[in-house]
mmCIF file of all heavy atoms in Angstrom:
data_model
loop_
_atom_site.group_PDB
_atom_site.id
_atom_site.type_symbol
_atom_site.label_atom_id
_atom_site.label_comp_id
_atom_site.label_asym_id
_atom_site.label_seq_id
_atom_site.Cartn_x
_atom_site.Cartn_y
_atom_site.Cartn_z
ATOM 1 N N LEU A 1 2.170 12.919 5.321
ATOM 2 C CA LEU A 1 2.753 11.582 5.539
ATOM 3 C C LEU A 1 1.799 10.554 5.082
ATOM 4 O O LEU A 1 2.130 9.558 4.398
ATOM 5 C CB LEU A 1 3.186 11.418 6.900
ATOM 6 C CG LEU A 1 3.814 10.126 7.236
ATOM 7 C CD1 LEU A 1 5.161 9.894 6.622
ATOM 8 C CD2 LEU A 1 3.945 9.992 8.802
ATOM 9 N N LEU A 2 0.553 10.678 5.508
ATOM 10 C CA LEU A 2 -0.515 9.696 5.178
ATOM 11 C C LEU A 2 -0.774 9.708 3.639
ATOM 12 O O LEU A 2 -0.886 8.563 3.099
ATOM 13 C CB LEU A 2 -1.741 10.038 5.848
ATOM 14 C CG LEU A 2 -2.938 8.938 5.918
ATOM 15 C CD1 LEU A 2 -2.508 7.759 6.535
ATOM 16 C CD2 LEU A 2 -4.178 9.429 6.567
ATOM 17 N N PHE A 3 -0.887 10.794 3.039
ATOM 18 C CA PHE A 3 -1.022 10.825 1.567
ATOM 19 C C PHE A 3 0.103 10.242 0.831
ATOM 20 O O PHE A 3 -0.153 9.469 -0.101
ATOM 21 C CB PHE A 3 -1.221 12.287 1.116
ATOM 22 C CG PHE A 3 -1.353 12.481 -0.381
ATOM 23 C CD1 PHE A 3 -2.505 12.169 -0.943
ATOM 24 C CD2 PHE A 3 -0.271 12.937 -1.123
ATOM 25 C CE1 PHE A 3 -2.677 12.334 -2.334
ATOM 26 C CE2 PHE A 3 -0.384 13.037 -2.435
ATOM 27 C CZ PHE A 3 -1.594 12.794 -3.023
ATOM 28 N N THR A 4 1.320 10.508 1.283
ATOM 29 C CA THR A 4 2.474 9.921 0.541
ATOM 30 C C THR A 4 2.460 8.361 0.776
ATOM 31 O O THR A 4 2.768 7.578 -0.218
ATOM 32 C CB THR A 4 3.751 10.569 1.260
ATOM 33 O OG1 THR A 4 3.710 11.948 0.974
ATOM 34 C CG2 THR A 4 5.013 9.947 0.531
ATOM 35 N N TYR A 5 2.341 7.921 1.970
ATOM 36 C CA TYR A 5 2.223 6.475 2.268
ATOM 37 C C TYR A 5 1.131 5.702 1.344
ATOM 38 O O TYR A 5 1.406 4.753 0.740
ATOM 39 C CB TYR A 5 1.908 6.215 3.757
ATOM 40 C CG TYR A 5 1.871 4.741 4.222
ATOM 41 C CD1 TYR A 5 3.041 4.076 4.397
ATOM 42 C CD2 TYR A 5 0.730 4.142 4.263
ATOM 43 C CE1 TYR A 5 2.937 2.740 4.846
ATOM 44 C CE2 TYR A 5 0.557 2.769 4.607
ATOM 45 C CZ TYR A 5 1.693 2.151 4.808
ATOM 46 O OH TYR A 5 1.655 0.772 5.188
ATOM 47 N N TYR A 6 -0.086 6.352 1.378
ATOM 48 C CA TYR A 6 -1.146 5.739 0.617
ATOM 49 C C TYR A 6 -0.823 5.734 -0.929
ATOM 50 O O TYR A 6 -1.143 4.884 -1.564
ATOM 51 C CB TYR A 6 -2.419 6.373 0.931
ATOM 52 C CG TYR A 6 -3.733 5.744 0.289
ATOM 53 C CD1 TYR A 6 -4.116 4.572 0.881
ATOM 54 C CD2 TYR A 6 -4.236 6.266 -0.803
ATOM 55 C CE1 TYR A 6 -5.300 3.990 0.362
ATOM 56 C CE2 TYR A 6 -5.427 5.625 -1.409
ATOM 57 C CZ TYR A 6 -5.837 4.499 -0.859
ATOM 58 O OH TYR A 6 -6.935 3.838 -1.364
ATOM 59 N N SER A 7 -0.348 6.884 -1.326
ATOM 60 C CA SER A 7 -0.019 7.009 -2.797
ATOM 61 C C SER A 7 1.026 5.972 -3.158
ATOM 62 O O SER A 7 0.875 5.261 -4.215
ATOM 63 C CB SER A 7 0.523 8.399 -3.035
ATOM 64 O OG SER A 7 -0.465 9.370 -2.801
ATOM 65 N N VAL A 8 2.093 5.861 -2.338
ATOM 66 C CA VAL A 8 3.049 4.778 -2.732
ATOM 67 C C VAL A 8 2.487 3.332 -2.642
ATOM 68 O O VAL A 8 2.659 2.548 -3.499
ATOM 69 C CB VAL A 8 4.329 4.796 -1.792
ATOM 70 C CG1 VAL A 8 5.257 3.716 -1.961
ATOM 71 C CG2 VAL A 8 5.007 6.120 -2.044
ATOM 72 N N TRP A 9 1.609 3.090 -1.625
ATOM 73 C CA TRP A 9 0.943 1.851 -1.583
ATOM 74 C C TRP A 9 0.066 1.402 -2.704
ATOM 75 O O TRP A 9 0.087 0.374 -3.168
ATOM 76 C CB TRP A 9 0.115 1.923 -0.220
ATOM 77 C CG TRP A 9 -0.552 0.566 0.331
ATOM 78 C CD1 TRP A 9 -0.180 -0.664 -0.066
ATOM 79 C CD2 TRP A 9 -1.644 0.519 1.179
ATOM 80 N NE1 TRP A 9 -1.023 -1.485 0.578
ATOM 81 C CE2 TRP A 9 -1.969 -0.800 1.384
ATOM 82 C CE3 TRP A 9 -2.474 1.582 1.766
ATOM 83 C CZ2 TRP A 9 -2.912 -1.279 2.148
ATOM 84 C CZ3 TRP A 9 -3.434 1.075 2.544
ATOM 85 C CH2 TRP A 9 -3.673 -0.323 2.663
ATOM 86 N N VAL A 10 -0.601 2.487 -3.200
ATOM 87 C CA VAL A 10 -1.636 2.175 -4.307
ATOM 88 C C VAL A 10 -1.099 2.354 -5.633
ATOM 89 O O VAL A 10 -1.347 1.622 -6.589
ATOM 90 C CB VAL A 10 -2.870 3.161 -4.091
ATOM 91 C CG1 VAL A 10 -3.830 2.980 -5.316
ATOM 92 C CG2 VAL A 10 -3.624 2.772 -2.764
ATOM 93 N N VAL A 11 -0.201 3.357 -5.832
ATOM 94 C CA VAL A 11 0.284 3.612 -7.195
ATOM 95 C C VAL A 11 1.602 2.932 -7.506
ATOM 96 O O VAL A 11 1.719 2.352 -8.589
ATOM 97 C CB VAL A 11 0.475 5.111 -7.336
ATOM 98 C CG1 VAL A 11 1.076 5.523 -8.656
ATOM 99 C CG2 VAL A 11 -0.788 5.933 -7.137
ATOM 100 N N VAL A 12 2.540 2.820 -6.557
ATOM 101 C CA VAL A 12 3.876 2.267 -6.900
ATOM 102 C C VAL A 12 4.006 0.774 -6.509
ATOM 103 O O VAL A 12 4.430 -0.059 -7.342
ATOM 104 C CB VAL A 12 4.991 3.088 -6.058
ATOM 105 C CG1 VAL A 12 6.334 2.411 -6.206
ATOM 106 C CG2 VAL A 12 5.020 4.485 -6.397
ATOM 107 N N LEU A 13 3.439 0.376 -5.494
ATOM 108 C CA LEU A 13 3.592 -0.970 -5.029
ATOM 109 C C LEU A 13 3.102 -2.040 -6.000
ATOM 110 O O LEU A 13 3.668 -3.151 -6.053
ATOM 111 C CB LEU A 13 2.889 -1.281 -3.616
ATOM 112 C CG LEU A 13 3.449 -2.313 -2.805
ATOM 113 C CD1 LEU A 13 5.037 -2.032 -2.459
ATOM 114 C CD2 LEU A 13 2.717 -2.392 -1.494
ATOM 115 N N PRO A 14 1.969 -1.888 -6.812
ATOM 116 C CA PRO A 14 1.585 -2.890 -7.745
ATOM 117 C C PRO A 14 2.697 -3.187 -8.838
ATOM 118 O O PRO A 14 2.712 -4.226 -9.362
ATOM 119 C CB PRO A 14 0.334 -2.301 -8.405
ATOM 120 C CG PRO A 14 -0.196 -1.400 -7.346
ATOM 121 C CD PRO A 14 0.949 -0.847 -6.701
ATOM 122 N N PHE A 15 3.582 -2.224 -9.055
ATOM 123 C CA PHE A 15 4.621 -2.469 -10.082
ATOM 124 C C PHE A 15 6.066 -3.012 -9.499
ATOM 125 O O PHE A 15 6.874 -3.232 -10.113
ATOM 126 C CB PHE A 15 4.914 -1.168 -10.792
ATOM 127 C CG PHE A 15 3.758 -0.569 -11.467
ATOM 128 C CD1 PHE A 15 2.991 0.425 -11.016
ATOM 129 C CD2 PHE A 15 3.225 -1.189 -12.664
ATOM 130 C CE1 PHE A 15 1.962 1.079 -11.679
ATOM 131 C CE2 PHE A 15 2.157 -0.752 -13.275
ATOM 132 C CZ PHE A 15 1.421 0.427 -12.742
ATOM 133 N N VAL A 16 5.971 -3.348 -8.132
ATOM 134 C CA VAL A 16 7.101 -3.853 -7.465
ATOM 135 C C VAL A 16 6.962 -5.338 -7.298
ATOM 136 O O VAL A 16 5.848 -5.726 -6.933
ATOM 137 C CB VAL A 16 7.319 -3.161 -6.013
ATOM 138 C CG1 VAL A 16 8.501 -3.719 -5.448
ATOM 139 C CG2 VAL A 16 7.449 -1.613 -6.295
ATOM 140 N N ASP A 17 7.964 -6.037 -7.406
ATOM 141 C CA ASP A 17 7.932 -7.559 -7.237
ATOM 142 C C ASP A 17 7.414 -7.855 -5.889
ATOM 143 O O ASP A 17 7.668 -7.114 -4.834
ATOM 144 C CB ASP A 17 9.247 -8.238 -7.496
ATOM 145 C CG ASP A 17 9.726 -8.189 -8.886
ATOM 146 O OD1 ASP A 17 8.800 -8.013 -9.797
ATOM 147 O OD2 ASP A 17 10.933 -8.196 -9.271
ATOM 148 N N SER A 18 6.693 -8.961 -5.723
ATOM 149 C CA SER A 18 6.120 -9.346 -4.438
ATOM 150 C C SER A 18 7.194 -9.695 -3.484
ATOM 151 O O SER A 18 6.841 -9.717 -2.177
ATOM 152 C CB SER A 18 5.028 -10.471 -4.533
ATOM 153 O OG SER A 18 5.776 -11.610 -5.173
ATOM 154 N N ASP A 19 8.410 -10.117 -3.842
ATOM 155 C CA ASP A 19 9.378 -10.478 -2.898
ATOM 156 C C ASP A 19 10.325 -9.408 -2.532
ATOM 157 O O ASP A 19 11.335 -9.603 -1.828
ATOM 158 C CB ASP A 19 10.233 -11.811 -3.352
ATOM 159 C CG ASP A 19 10.836 -11.482 -4.733
ATOM 160 O OD1 ASP A 19 10.504 -10.560 -5.438
ATOM 161 O OD2 ASP A 19 11.682 -12.179 -5.228
ATOM 162 N N HIS A 20 10.076 -8.232 -3.011
ATOM 163 C CA HIS A 20 10.925 -7.003 -2.747
ATOM 164 C C HIS A 20 10.826 -6.660 -1.311
ATOM 165 O O HIS A 20 9.706 -6.825 -0.598
ATOM 166 C CB HIS A 20 10.540 -5.883 -3.645
ATOM 167 C CG HIS A 20 11.496 -4.849 -3.727
ATOM 168 N ND1 HIS A 20 11.465 -3.666 -2.799
ATOM 169 C CD2 HIS A 20 12.546 -4.581 -4.541
ATOM 170 C CE1 HIS A 20 12.539 -2.902 -3.037
ATOM 171 N NE2 HIS A 20 13.117 -3.374 -4.139
ATOM 172 N N ALA A 21 11.847 -6.033 -0.686
ATOM 173 C CA ALA A 21 11.777 -5.686 0.663
ATOM 174 C C ALA A 21 10.768 -4.447 1.047
ATOM 175 O O ALA A 21 10.330 -4.343 2.112
ATOM 176 C CB ALA A 21 13.154 -5.194 1.138
ATOM 177 N N LEU A 22 10.367 -3.817 0.021
ATOM 178 C CA LEU A 22 9.496 -2.675 0.191
ATOM 179 C C LEU A 22 8.122 -3.092 0.679
ATOM 180 O O LEU A 22 7.374 -2.431 1.337
ATOM 181 C CB LEU A 22 9.358 -1.894 -1.131
ATOM 182 C CG LEU A 22 8.594 -0.610 -1.135
ATOM 183 C CD1 LEU A 22 9.163 0.421 -0.201
ATOM 184 C CD2 LEU A 22 8.439 -0.051 -2.474
ATOM 185 N N ASN A 23 7.844 -4.339 0.233
ATOM 186 C CA ASN A 23 6.458 -4.944 0.610
ATOM 187 C C ASN A 23 6.225 -5.170 2.062
ATOM 188 O O ASN A 23 5.022 -5.227 2.513
ATOM 189 C CB ASN A 23 6.224 -6.098 -0.186
ATOM 190 C CG ASN A 23 5.818 -5.964 -1.632
ATOM 191 O OD1 ASN A 23 5.100 -5.087 -1.918
ATOM 192 N ND2 ASN A 23 6.426 -6.684 -2.517
ATOM 193 N N LYS A 24 7.198 -5.251 2.880
ATOM 194 C CA LYS A 24 7.092 -5.523 4.259
ATOM 195 C C LYS A 24 6.546 -4.252 5.075
ATOM 196 O O LYS A 24 6.225 -4.405 6.141
ATOM 197 C CB LYS A 24 8.324 -6.147 4.877
ATOM 198 C CG LYS A 24 9.459 -5.172 4.983
ATOM 199 C CD LYS A 24 10.623 -5.773 5.645
ATOM 200 C CE LYS A 24 11.833 -4.841 5.707
ATOM 201 N NZ LYS A 24 12.978 -5.349 6.374
ATOM 202 N N TYR A 25 6.664 -3.142 4.499
ATOM 203 C CA TYR A 25 6.259 -2.025 5.107
ATOM 204 C C TYR A 25 4.747 -1.541 4.812
ATOM 205 O O TYR A 25 4.170 -0.536 5.348
ATOM 206 C CB TYR A 25 7.146 -0.755 4.679
ATOM 207 C CG TYR A 25 8.485 -0.947 5.124
ATOM 208 C CD1 TYR A 25 9.473 -1.189 4.139
ATOM 209 C CD2 TYR A 25 8.922 -0.872 6.372
ATOM 210 C CE1 TYR A 25 10.793 -1.378 4.528
ATOM 211 C CE2 TYR A 25 10.189 -1.123 6.698
ATOM 212 C CZ TYR A 25 11.168 -1.238 5.815
ATOM 213 O OH TYR A 25 12.469 -1.417 6.188
ATOM 214 N N PHE A 26 4.050 -2.439 4.025
ATOM 215 C CA PHE A 26 2.721 -2.117 3.612
ATOM 216 C C PHE A 26 1.776 -3.259 3.994
ATOM 217 O O PHE A 26 2.219 -4.506 3.912
ATOM 218 C CB PHE A 26 2.631 -1.749 2.160
ATOM 219 C CG PHE A 26 3.370 -0.518 1.811
ATOM 220 C CD1 PHE A 26 4.734 -0.627 1.387
ATOM 221 C CD2 PHE A 26 2.823 0.688 1.904
ATOM 222 C CE1 PHE A 26 5.395 0.509 1.010
ATOM 223 C CE2 PHE A 26 3.401 1.869 1.491
ATOM 224 C CZ PHE A 26 4.681 1.800 1.093
ATOM 225 N N LEU A 27 0.557 -3.033 4.119
ATOM 226 C CA LEU A 27 -0.538 -4.032 4.414
ATOM 227 C C LEU A 27 -0.831 -4.676 3.097
ATOM 228 O O LEU A 27 -0.504 -4.130 1.976
ATOM 229 C CB LEU A 27 -1.798 -3.416 4.939
ATOM 230 C CG LEU A 27 -1.748 -2.938 6.407
ATOM 231 C CD1 LEU A 27 -3.006 -2.055 6.792
ATOM 232 C CD2 LEU A 27 -1.441 -4.028 7.473
ATOM 233 N N PRO A 28 -1.519 -5.807 2.998
ATOM 234 C CA PRO A 28 -1.978 -6.401 1.787
ATOM 235 C C PRO A 28 -2.849 -5.433 0.967
ATOM 236 O O PRO A 28 -3.497 -4.470 1.556
ATOM 237 C CB PRO A 28 -2.828 -7.597 2.226
ATOM 238 C CG PRO A 28 -2.355 -7.953 3.507
ATOM 239 C CD PRO A 28 -1.890 -6.582 4.110
ATOM 240 N N ARG A 29 -2.824 -5.582 -0.317
ATOM 241 C CA ARG A 29 -3.503 -4.600 -1.221
ATOM 242 C C ARG A 29 -5.071 -4.471 -0.972
ATOM 243 O O ARG A 29 -5.669 -3.464 -1.230
ATOM 244 C CB ARG A 29 -3.282 -5.004 -2.670
ATOM 245 C CG ARG A 29 -1.840 -4.645 -3.026
ATOM 246 C CD ARG A 29 -1.579 -4.774 -4.439
ATOM 247 N NE ARG A 29 -0.179 -4.691 -4.750
ATOM 248 C CZ ARG A 29 0.567 -5.669 -5.308
ATOM 249 N NH1 ARG A 29 -0.016 -6.787 -5.596
ATOM 250 N NH2 ARG A 29 1.843 -5.391 -5.461
ATOM 251 N N GLU A 30 -5.704 -5.526 -0.461
ATOM 252 C CA GLU A 30 -7.151 -5.467 -0.195
ATOM 253 C C GLU A 30 -7.505 -4.403 0.710
ATOM 254 O O GLU A 30 -8.545 -3.782 0.645
ATOM 255 C CB GLU A 30 -7.632 -6.878 0.374
ATOM 256 C CG GLU A 30 -7.442 -7.981 -0.477
ATOM 257 C CD GLU A 30 -6.093 -8.701 -0.284
ATOM 258 O OE1 GLU A 30 -5.499 -8.641 0.782
ATOM 259 O OE2 GLU A 30 -5.557 -9.180 -1.293
ATOM 260 N N TYR A 31 -6.546 -4.028 1.740
ATOM 261 C CA TYR A 31 -6.873 -3.087 2.713
ATOM 262 C C TYR A 31 -6.741 -1.675 2.083
ATOM 263 O O TYR A 31 -7.251 -0.670 2.730
ATOM 264 C CB TYR A 31 -5.837 -3.192 3.863
ATOM 265 C CG TYR A 31 -6.074 -4.357 4.607
ATOM 266 C CD1 TYR A 31 -5.175 -5.435 4.541
ATOM 267 C CD2 TYR A 31 -7.168 -4.482 5.543
ATOM 268 C CE1 TYR A 31 -5.330 -6.497 5.419
ATOM 269 C CE2 TYR A 31 -7.392 -5.510 6.368
ATOM 270 C CZ TYR A 31 -6.453 -6.672 6.297
ATOM 271 O OH TYR A 31 -6.610 -7.704 7.040
ATOM 272 N N SER A 32 -6.190 -1.454 0.925
ATOM 273 C CA SER A 32 -6.188 -0.139 0.252
ATOM 274 C C SER A 32 -7.529 0.235 -0.106
ATOM 275 O O SER A 32 -7.689 1.491 -0.383
ATOM 276 C CB SER A 32 -5.247 -0.169 -0.942
ATOM 277 O OG SER A 32 -5.719 -0.986 -1.968
ATOM 278 N N VAL A 33 -8.582 -0.611 -0.254
ATOM 279 C CA VAL A 33 -9.910 -0.228 -0.469
ATOM 280 C C VAL A 33 -10.793 -0.310 0.794
ATOM 281 O O VAL A 33 -11.448 0.611 1.043
ATOM 282 C CB VAL A 33 -10.546 -1.213 -1.551
ATOM 283 C CG1 VAL A 33 -11.982 -0.941 -1.755
ATOM 284 C CG2 VAL A 33 -9.723 -1.088 -2.850
ATOM 285 N N ILE A 34 -10.376 -1.269 1.587
ATOM 286 C CA ILE A 34 -11.290 -1.458 2.836
ATOM 287 C C ILE A 34 -11.053 -0.260 3.829
ATOM 288 O O ILE A 34 -12.069 0.239 4.384
ATOM 289 C CB ILE A 34 -10.948 -2.700 3.492
ATOM 290 C CG1 ILE A 34 -11.319 -3.888 2.632
ATOM 291 C CG2 ILE A 34 -11.589 -2.840 4.893
ATOM 292 C CD1 ILE A 34 -10.920 -5.359 3.008
ATOM 293 N N LEU A 35 -9.849 0.044 4.096
ATOM 294 C CA LEU A 35 -9.629 1.138 5.054
ATOM 295 C C LEU A 35 -10.135 2.561 4.784
ATOM 296 O O LEU A 35 -10.771 3.179 5.533
ATOM 297 C CB LEU A 35 -8.033 1.255 5.344
ATOM 298 C CG LEU A 35 -7.433 0.086 6.046
ATOM 299 C CD1 LEU A 35 -6.001 0.243 6.218
ATOM 300 C CD2 LEU A 35 -8.088 -0.053 7.438
ATOM 301 N N PRO A 36 -10.107 3.006 3.429
ATOM 302 C CA PRO A 36 -10.684 4.263 3.112
ATOM 303 C C PRO A 36 -12.145 4.170 3.155
ATOM 304 O O PRO A 36 -12.803 5.207 3.606
ATOM 305 C CB PRO A 36 -10.233 4.644 1.672
ATOM 306 C CG PRO A 36 -8.857 3.834 1.563
ATOM 307 C CD PRO A 36 -9.054 2.648 2.419
ATOM 308 N N ALA A 37 -12.689 3.098 2.856
ATOM 309 C CA ALA A 37 -14.236 2.950 2.878
ATOM 310 C C ALA A 37 -14.801 2.975 4.310
ATOM 311 O O ALA A 37 -15.655 3.612 4.621
ATOM 312 C CB ALA A 37 -14.568 1.641 2.254
ATOM 313 N N LEU A 38 -13.936 2.333 5.216
ATOM 314 C CA LEU A 38 -14.208 2.258 6.658
ATOM 315 C C LEU A 38 -14.119 3.768 7.216
ATOM 316 O O LEU A 38 -15.061 4.138 7.989
ATOM 317 C CB LEU A 38 -13.356 1.298 7.403
ATOM 318 C CG LEU A 38 -13.600 1.127 8.829
ATOM 319 C CD1 LEU A 38 -14.966 0.514 9.070
ATOM 320 C CD2 LEU A 38 -12.488 0.289 9.446
ATOM 321 N N ALA A 39 -13.102 4.350 6.781
ATOM 322 C CA ALA A 39 -12.969 5.840 7.238
ATOM 323 C C ALA A 39 -14.108 6.668 6.743
ATOM 324 O O ALA A 39 -14.490 7.574 7.442
ATOM 325 C CB ALA A 39 -11.600 6.385 6.777
ATOM 326 N N ALA A 40 -14.537 6.395 5.598
ATOM 327 C CA ALA A 40 -15.615 7.234 5.032
ATOM 328 C C ALA A 40 -16.872 6.993 5.841
ATOM 329 O O ALA A 40 -17.634 7.863 6.158
ATOM 330 C CB ALA A 40 -15.764 6.997 3.542
#
């Protein structure tokens, strides 16, 4: 589940419009780098 969520967040979401409803389920894109670095 975590891998799927992160993959959609990093790979798919940049190609989706910013006003699309899918964006409300994800954090801002800056966190896609900060959270894995913090986890490491």
Side-chain angles (χ1 to χ4, degrees):
L1 179 68
L2 188 65
F3 176 76
T4 304
Y5 179 85
Y6 188 77
S7 296
V8 169
W9 186 22
V10 172
V11 176
V12 175
L13 208 58
F15 299 106
V16 176
D17 290 334
S18 60
D19 59 344
H20 194 272
L22 186 63
N23 282 319
K24 69 179 179 179
Y25 298 109
F26 296 93
L27 292 172
R29 289 189 186 116
E30 298 86 32
Y31 291 106
S32 66
V33 175
I34 294 170
L35 290 177
L38 184 64

